[in-house]
Amino acid sequence: MNSLKAVLGPTNTGKTHYAIERMMGHATGMIGLPLRLLAREVYDRVVRAKGEKAVALITGEERIEPPNARYWICTVESMPVHKRVEFLAIDEIQLAEDSDRGHVFTDRILKARGTAETLLLGAETMRGVLRDLDLDVDTNTRERFSELHYAGPTKVTKLPKRTAVVAFSTDQVYALGELLRRQKGGAAIVMGALSPRTRNAQVALYQSGEVDYLVATDAIGMGLNLDVDRIAFAGRSKFDGRRHRWLSAAECGQIAGRAGRFRTDGEFGETGDCPPFEEELINAIETNHFDPVDDLQWRNSDLDYRSIKTLIASLARPSGSPVLRQNPHALDEWVLRRMAEDEAIGPEVRGTDKVRRLWDLARLPDFRKSGHDGHARLVLGLAETLADPDARLGDTAMAKRMENLESNVPDISSLQHRLAMIRTWTYAAHRDDWLENPAYWREKTREIEDRLSDALHAALTLRFVDRRTTALLAGLKREDLLVTELSETGEVTVEGHVVGKLVGLHFEPASTAQTLEGKAVRSAAVTALGPILAERLGEIAGAPAEAFALTDEGHISWKGADIARLKAGPDWLAPRLELIGAEDAETHRKAATLKRVEEWLGAEMLRVLPTHAKLKTAETGSELQGMARGLAFRLLESGASIDLRQESPPPNVSKEDREALKTAGIRTGRVAAHIPDAQKPAAQRLIAILQATHTNESRRVAPEGAGSFPLDGEWAEAELNSQGYLRFGARAVRADLAERLGWEISKRRREADKPAFELPAELASIVSCPGDEFPAIVKGFGLAPAEKDPETGAVTLWRYLSRNRQDGPPRGKRPQGKPGGRPPKGKPSGNRPQRGGGRPNPREKQPDPDSPFAALASLLPPAKAPKPPRKKKKSKAKQAPEAAAKPENEAAPPADKTPESPPAETPTDKPETSS
């Protein structure tokens, strides 16, 4: 009686091992596996137990079938399901939902049976769909032998030994392999594009301990048994042949499950640019709980071969079951339709033999991964010769196809391409009805595939394992070849003699090279460095941001070596770049590298000087008009600040303009307009470098974090302002702190309510100034000593130099609606500059003649205007703010109380005061 059982569970549960042991317990058996590589591994194991004569291996590219074979080890697609065997197993049945191969797995699940026992092996997610198929299957769940834990993100260079890094593109695999070679001594490479022989050799390299790291695609997730302690995801999206998509949780779990073997626990986490795992996904992987499979890929297997049209129609016949979903994108069906449309082949092909022949050709696997169109051209070319069932490819035709595949090539990509082509012809050689002499060509294609596989393994090992840079042969006009090597420190040797050093992209010949064979040897070294430079340029073009740095000399370094320099551009915020070295490299490689460096510099300027970058690109500031727009433009030219004390006349900035400037990242006040984020140490350094590059003159950087510092007399005003500082006597004061000190001085004057007022010594701490230098800074605000201590000579009271006080820049005749202090004798109050500070005097409450309230004041009885303040002397303190409130709301704020002024309780040691 046939027993149908499903053994479900995650990786490392021993499902495949269990099935092999069950199979060998029967007289005959068959197992279908997802990969040719895994099939070969299981074949070798069963041969060791049962002998070569008892075991057959059947895959698309390999067929070993002894006459008296009792056990068949196959890929799922190649299973000879017509054979009667006691035991039959299908591994990794969850692949039945795969868009390319799924329909084959579904067909085997539904129809392939052993006479005594059938096992379906796969993930727990298949339990529900097996039940929906009404297969009368007994399900058995197996638990992992070890646990799986989330390890979090780790830099590639910090990954522990016995780690497999998983990436999803060839370029990314190679970049990671090269990084591990430089930092860790080497890594093995495993990709689906490699031949089984190459993959086995690379895995052996890792398993033997010769290297401690493995870089792989998601091919690692299926069937490879490795001693891996951690799986590090370098990405979580892949191109599946039609589109880029995120990995499903179950796919992540399948890959992560390769960490930990038998009783050894495993870890998984992120590295490189992989986005962080969500908490829900981490929990799903650790507990192996994923969304169930709802439906399977299906295709009708009861085909009508009377004509090509009836075959296509029968392939499209629906299943009639909601659980079995038809895939409209299958490659073989698409190629068959192209045959039907091709005038040289279809569409009127009739007869079972002819139609079967075309269908066999259409199912040729796309080993080259060339896409639908590229693969169709290959198949249609074959079909023109083999469309007739009696036609065969002759030896001459096959020899011509083998000719270009046998020659040796050194580079990895060419070897991979040739391996893909030879696998195509190996597949063809195992079709007895396609070739004139299939037995010969099976041997020939296998020999070529093995040779190419070994060459690819050697090339991968040379590139990703050797601690020294790839060895190069440089040919000279002599009988032998000189071996040129590049050490880890960049030292270039020819035949063991040092001839120079490769620093970044620049080759520096050594003086000792003169004693060798002169210019010929050095020329040979430079020529040999060509491939190394190309590789380095590619590495720089794909380097992350943290690999670059900007030096004080205006050079951009990569891994500590200068690779590019800044050059003067249209303005200091738009420098140009040029590479240092690599003069003889290919133009497109240099262009890609230069583009990456330019991208990094742009991002660095946006990070360090965000206000400048956004104003420069018009991301902000578009609403600025008039005076505000002019200030913003001048600040972009200056670098960090403008000294408003030097302006004549002072800029007339309205309240609305101040708010617009503040939104754009600019502050304006009594003595300065400045950009706060340009006064940080990193920004000051970058401004100095960029401006020095533009002017070709050296620029100094202000002392880091200094509120003020003594001037040595060599600081020009432009250089000082570019660092965000203003000159106050013999000392430079940071613009934002100068604004704070100015506000504090104005506040002390208003509180004193008299021309002479005290300035506490602690105010010097606002600008980090020594007490004996503080008077010189105060004088920079337009103040002079009003009274000194007769004994010490220290200033005890200060006063403004003139009635036009400097506690705020003069505002001109702009209507402000707020009366000033007492007018000069003999002059009407409306004809003098606004005082801009002090407490309002109710006795002098007279409208500005330019104010819109002046006309209203003239209508009032002249005797009544001064009465209210004389009757309410005791409420004088209350009337002052009330008298100022309405005009301040209706016009621009006065100079002593700008919107930028901090509240009185603002700590005096706060670096940013104007926000």
Side-chain angles (χ1 to χ4, degrees):
M1 181 178 179
N2 182 14
S3 168
L4 178 61
K5 182 191 298 183
V7 181
L8 307 178
T11 56
N12 193 22
T13 57
K15 298 186 298 294
T16 306
H17 172 79
Y18 171 75
I20 295 170
E21 292 297 318
R22 293 292 301 170
M23 179 181 70
M24 290 192 295
H26 289 271
T28 58
M30 181 185 301
I31 184 169
L33 299 157
L35 299 173
R36 174 189 173 191
L37 182 67
L38 185 57
R40 184 76 200 201
E41 181 182 315
V42 173
Y43 168 79
D44 292 338
R45 175 179 171 182
V46 179
V47 164
R48 286 194 296 270
K50 299 293 184 178
E52 288 186 1
K53 295 181 179 180
V55 189
L57 173 65
I58 303 178
T59 69
E61 306 157 63
E62 195 169 13
R63 181 179 291 267
I64 303 172
E65 195 171 5
N68 299 318
R70 296 186 292 119
Y71 302 99
W72 283 264
I73 316 301
C74 323
T75 53
V76 172
E77 287 85 347
S78 301
M79 292 175 70
V81 291
H82 61 278
K83 291 184 178 292
R84 288 178 59 84
V85 290
E86 291 183 5
F87 174 89
L88 187 142
I90 305 164
D91 198 13
E92 305 292 1
I93 60 171
Q94 71 273 9
L95 286 177
E97 65 172 342
D98 181 75
S99 57
D100 293 323
R101 308 171 63 198
H103 65 275
V104 179
F105 280 78
T106 301
D107 183 75
R108 302 296 186 258
I109 292 171
L110 294 175
K111 298 180 179 179
R113 296 290 181 268
T115 59
E117 182 179 2
T118 302
L119 288 184
L120 305 178
L121 315 173
E124 180 66 28
T125 54
M126 291 291 291
R127 179 183 294 273
V129 76
L130 290 176
R131 181 179 60 249
D132 294 340
L133 289 172
D134 294 328
L135 294 180
D136 190 24
V137 58
D138 179 24
T139 56
N140 176 24
T141 300
R142 295 174 69 95
E143 300 295 331
R144 273 182 66 93
F145 291 129
S146 62
E147 294 184 356
L148 199 57
H149 303 288
Y150 176 62
T154 308
K155 288 185 177 181
V156 175
T157 54
K158 301 293 184 182
L159 289 171
K161 293 181 178 181
R162 312 315 290 169
T163 292
V165 184
V166 180
F168 297 93
S169 71
T170 301
D171 290 342
Q172 193 178 22
V173 167
Y174 288 170
L176 289 166
E178 290 172 349
L179 178 59
L180 287 168
R181 172 183 59 100
R182 294 191 305 273
Q183 299 292 335
K184 301 292 187 178
I189 305 297
V190 173
M191 298 186 296
L194 303 182
S195 68
R197 186 182 179 97
T198 303
R199 268 189 289 182
N200 281 342
Q202 287 289 304
V203 167
L205 193 69
Y206 172 81
Q207 291 289 83
S208 68
E210 186 172 345
V211 294
D212 287 313
Y213 298 88
L214 181 76
V215 184
T217 61
D218 53 344
I220 194 178
M222 199 68 64
L224 285 177
N225 295 315
L226 302 168
D227 296 327
V228 174
D229 294 335
R230 179 184 293 190
I231 295 290
F233 287 79
R236 278 171 50 201
S237 64
K238 63 178 289 187
F239 181 71
D240 63 5
R242 286 185 294 274
R243 61 187 176 88
H244 281 280
R245 64 172 180 82
W246 288 99
L247 297 178
S248 68
E251 288 173 319
C252 290
Q254 182 76 20
I255 296 169
R258 291 299 160 190
R261 300 308 305 164
F262 196 51
R263 301 297 181 186
T264 305
D265 291 345
E267 297 177 333
F268 69 97
E270 312 95 337
T271 193
D273 297 328
C274 180
F277 280 83
E278 299 80 9
E279 194 65 36
E280 183 180 355
L281 179 57
I282 293 171
N283 184 64
I285 295 174
E286 289 182 337
T287 61
N288 192 46
H289 288 155
F290 305 106
D291 293 337
V293 174
D294 296 324
D295 48 40
L296 307 180
Q297 296 290 330
W298 179 87
R299 183 163 69 190
N300 177 37
S301 59
D302 185 15
L303 303 180
D304 186 346
Y305 294 103
R306 291 177 297 167
S307 70
I308 195 169
K309 292 181 179 179
T310 60
L311 174 59
I312 292 172
S314 63
L315 285 167
R317 191 176 303 152
S319 67
S321 169
V323 179
L324 302 176
R325 176 165 46 91
Q326 194 161 19
N327 176 22
H329 305 293
L331 176 60
D332 50 9
E333 288 187 51
W334 190 86
V335 173
L336 184 67
R337 294 189 189 96
R338 284 288 303 273
M339 288 180 175
E341 297 167 359
D342 190 275
E343 294 181 358
I345 302 171
E348 299 302 329
V349 176
R350 295 181 178 276
T352 300
D353 291 344
K354 291 183 178 180
V355 175
R356 280 184 179 273
R357 169 56 68 88
L358 293 182
W359 180 228
D360 287 342
L361 289 167
R363 288 185 291 170
L364 175 69
D366 183 16
F367 295 107
R368 302 176 303 157
K369 303 299 179 187
S370 55
H372 281 40
D373 287 326
H375 185 61
R377 285 193 293 270
L378 172 65
V379 175
L380 265 63
L382 280 174
E384 290 181 5
T385 303
L386 298 175
D388 189 318
D390 296 326
R392 300 289 186 272
L393 277 174
D395 291 347
T396 302
M398 281 295 292
K400 186 176 181 180
R401 287 173 168 84
M402 297 298 106
E403 183 178 346
N404 293 331
L405 300 178
E406 290 190 82
S407 57
N408 189 29
V409 288
D411 61 292
I412 292 172
S413 59
S414 296
L415 285 168
Q416 286 182 308
H417 175 73
R418 294 191 178 192
L419 265 170
M421 285 302 304
I422 198 62
R423 291 179 70 185
T424 299
W425 298 118
T426 300
Y427 180 93
H430 282 88
R431 297 292 310 219
D432 291 339
D433 56 343
W434 286 14
L435 304 185
E436 191 175 76
N437 192 356
Y440 169 78
W441 290 112
R442 278 196 286 271
E443 292 296 325
K444 184 66 175 177
T445 55
R446 171 47 53 82
E447 176 190 333
I448 296 174
E449 181 179 336
D450 287 350
R451 187 162 62 248
L452 291 174
S453 295
D454 292 342
L456 180 57
H457 169 63
L460 290 170
T461 303
L462 185 65
R463 179 170 176 181
F464 299 112
V465 175
D466 288 352
R467 291 182 179 274
R468 302 176 69 88
T469 307
T470 305
L472 299 173
L473 294 178
L476 298 176
K477 294 182 179 180
R478 41 183 291 182
E479 293 183 358
D480 59 336
L481 297 175
L482 295 178
V483 178
T484 305
E485 295 180 337
L486 177 69
S487 72
E488 292 178 344
T489 60
E491 199 171 66
V492 182
T493 60
V494 175
E495 294 292 316
H497 298 278
V498 177
V499 296
K501 190 174 184 179
L502 184 63
V503 180
L505 300 173
H506 177 63
F507 177 66
E508 299 175 351
S511 58
T512 55
Q514 302 292 338
T515 62
L516 296 175
E517 295 183 44
K519 295 181 179 180
V521 175
R522 294 199 307 277
S523 176
V526 173
T527 302
L529 286 172
I532 297 176
L533 275 175
E535 181 180 344
R536 181 163 290 186
L537 286 167
E539 185 177 359
I540 296 172
E546 55 267 22
F548 299 102
L550 180 62
T551 70
D552 292 339
E553 294 75 28
H555 292 174
I556 293 178
S557 67
W558 170 79
K559 295 185 177 180
D562 293 349
I563 59 168
R565 63 171 63 92
L566 273 62
K567 305 287 288 184
D571 57 68
W572 71 272
L573 283 168
R576 295 186 299 105
L577 282 171
E578 68 176 15
L579 295 179
I580 300 174
E583 293 86 357
D584 298 325
E586 295 172 296
T587 303
H588 72 280
R589 295 186 186 276
K590 292 192 292 184
T593 301
L594 189 61
K595 180 181 178 182
R596 175 67 186 104
V597 177
E598 288 171 344
E599 290 173 351
W600 175 83
L601 180 60
E604 185 71 359
M605 292 174 66
L606 177 60
R607 181 182 70 84
V608 180
L609 299 174
T611 299
H612 292 75
K614 292 176 181 178
L615 285 171
K616 180 76 175 175
T617 58
E619 282 188 43
T620 60
S622 57
E623 70 281 6
L624 298 178
Q625 301 295 331
M627 178 63 69
R629 190 175 185 86
L631 283 173
F633 178 79
R634 290 178 58 196
L635 278 167
L636 281 182
E637 286 187 321
S638 164
S641 64
I642 302 172
D643 193 342
L644 297 180
R645 300 172 302 167
Q646 309 298 325
E647 305 293 311
S648 182
N652 191 3
V653 185
S654 68
K655 181 179 180 180
E656 292 75 17
D657 284 343
R658 289 177 190 276
E659 289 301 321
L661 285 167
K662 186 174 181 180
T663 301
I666 297 172
R667 304 291 188 272
T668 57
R670 297 175 177 79
V671 297
H674 62 97
I675 300 176
D677 60 33
Q679 295 171 280
K680 299 175 182 177
Q684 292 170 332
R685 175 180 178 271
L686 181 57
I687 289 171
I689 293 171
L690 294 176
Q691 291 191 346
T693 299
H694 186 67
T695 61
N696 199 25
E697 297 176 355
S698 63
R699 287 292 182 103
R700 285 173 291 184
V701 181
E704 184 172 339
S708 67
F709 62 91
L711 294 171
D712 55 12
E714 298 179 3
W715 282 83
E717 291 299 321
E719 189 176 21
L720 204 58
N721 294 161
S722 72
Q723 293 289 293
Y725 286 81
L726 310 182
R727 185 185 298 275
F728 283 81
R731 200 165 184 87
V733 179
R734 209 171 69 201
D736 58 336
L737 300 181
E739 283 294 323
R740 182 192 292 187
L741 179 58
W743 185 83
E744 288 288 345
I745 292 172
S746 178
K747 175 184 173 185
R748 306 293 175 175
R749 169 63 182 85
R750 291 195 301 273
E751 291 174 349
D753 196 21
K754 56 184 180 181
F757 54 96
E758 292 183 0
L759 290 180
E762 60 262 29
L763 290 183
S765 65
I766 294 178
V767 293
S768 304
C769 171
D772 58 344
E773 294 187 31
F774 185 58
I777 291 180
V778 173
K779 291 177 182 179
F781 287 91
L783 275 70
E787 183 178 305
K788 296 184 179 181
D789 187 294
E791 295 184 3
T792 64
V795 180
T796 55
L797 294 176
W798 292 87
R799 65 177 176 83
Y800 283 95
L801 287 171
S802 67
R803 291 281 186 176
N804 185 15
R805 299 206 328 272
Q806 296 300 311
D807 50 338
R811 305 298 177 184
K813 294 185 179 181
R814 175 165 56 100
Q816 297 205 12
K818 181 175 179 178
R822 181 181 293 116
K825 293 181 180 180
K827 293 185 181 181
S829 62
N831 290 337
R832 63 180 176 79
Q834 174 142 350
R835 183 167 161 178
R839 183 177 299 164
N841 191 338
R843 292 176 295 177
E844 295 179 322
K845 185 175 182 181
Q846 299 180 17
D848 191 322
D850 295 324
S851 168
F853 298 97
L856 295 175
S858 66
L859 299 178
L860 297 174
K864 294 182 178 180
K867 286 182 180 180
R870 287 200 296 271
K871 289 181 180 180
K872 298 183 179 181
K873 291 182 180 180
K874 62 181 180 180
S875 60
K876 178 178 178 180
K878 296 182 180 180
Q879 284 184 355
E882 292 173 0
K886 184 175 181 179
E888 186 170 340
N889 291 337
E890 295 181 0
D896 61 4
K897 190 75 173 178
T898 68
E900 311 302 324
S901 300
E905 66 271 19
T906 303
T908 57
D909 59 346
K910 204 171 185 179
E912 176 56 46
T913 66
S914 56
S915 59

